[in-house]
């Protein structure tokens, strides 16, 4: 029932489901009136962005999003997702 913006976003969601329950993941939570996250993990207060874009403009947008919250992570591919959460001791 979730509509993803890209195949990468869909694959990252599948990887998140290996680490969290479906109810622990919010898809598309707004930072403010201008920016929306790809995923949010409430129990960690963690904002998750995923993208394979590597342009100056896009990376500036990611930088701006990062400044709005305390806990932020950015993934460029789905293999980073599971590795990140397995390394952390949540």
């Amino acid at each position: 029932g979730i509509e993803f913006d890209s195949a990468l976003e869909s694959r990252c969601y599948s990887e998140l489901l290996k680490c969290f329950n479906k109810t622990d993941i919010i898809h598309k939570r707004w930072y403010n009136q201008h920016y929306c996250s790809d995923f949010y993990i409430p129990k960690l207060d963690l904002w998750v962005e995923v993208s394979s874009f590597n342009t100056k403009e896009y990376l500036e947008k990611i930088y701006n999003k990062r400044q709005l919250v305390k806990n932020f992570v950015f993934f460029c591919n789905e293999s980073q997702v599971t590795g990140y959460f397995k390394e952390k001791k949540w």
Side-chain angles (χ1 to χ4, degrees):
I2 297 175
E3 291 186 28
F4 297 104
D5 293 335
S6 68
L8 174 62
E9 188 175 296
S10 175
R11 292 190 307 267
C12 288
Y13 181 72
S14 294
E15 292 299 312
L16 285 170
L17 288 174
K18 293 178 183 178
C19 305
F20 301 96
N21 293 321
K22 186 184 262 189
T23 57
D24 293 329
I25 305 166
I26 296 174
H27 179 248
K28 301 298 182 198
R29 178 161 179 191
W30 288 89
Y31 294 95
N32 60 24
Q33 66 272 24
H34 301 290
Y35 297 115
C36 183
S37 70
D38 294 316
F39 304 103
Y40 178 70
I41 313 295
K43 69 181 183 180
L44 303 177
D45 187 30
L46 182 66
W47 301 79
V48 180
E49 292 289 341
V50 300
S51 180
S52 59
F53 292 138
N54 192 16
T55 65
K56 180 182 176 186
E57 293 80 14
Y58 187 79
L59 294 176
E60 285 176 358
K61 182 178 175 182
I62 292 298
Y63 175 81
N64 290 337
K65 288 180 175 186
R66 183 180 195 99
Q67 302 309 305
L68 295 172
V69 295
K70 181 180 174 185
N71 299 312
F72 180 97
V73 65
F74 177 69
F75 300 117
C76 299
N77 63 62
E78 64 272 15
S79 65
Q80 294 174 311
V81 175
T82 307
Y84 177 82
F85 289 106
K86 285 188 178 194
E87 291 174 10
K88 298 289 183 182
K89 304 294 185 219
W90 306 105

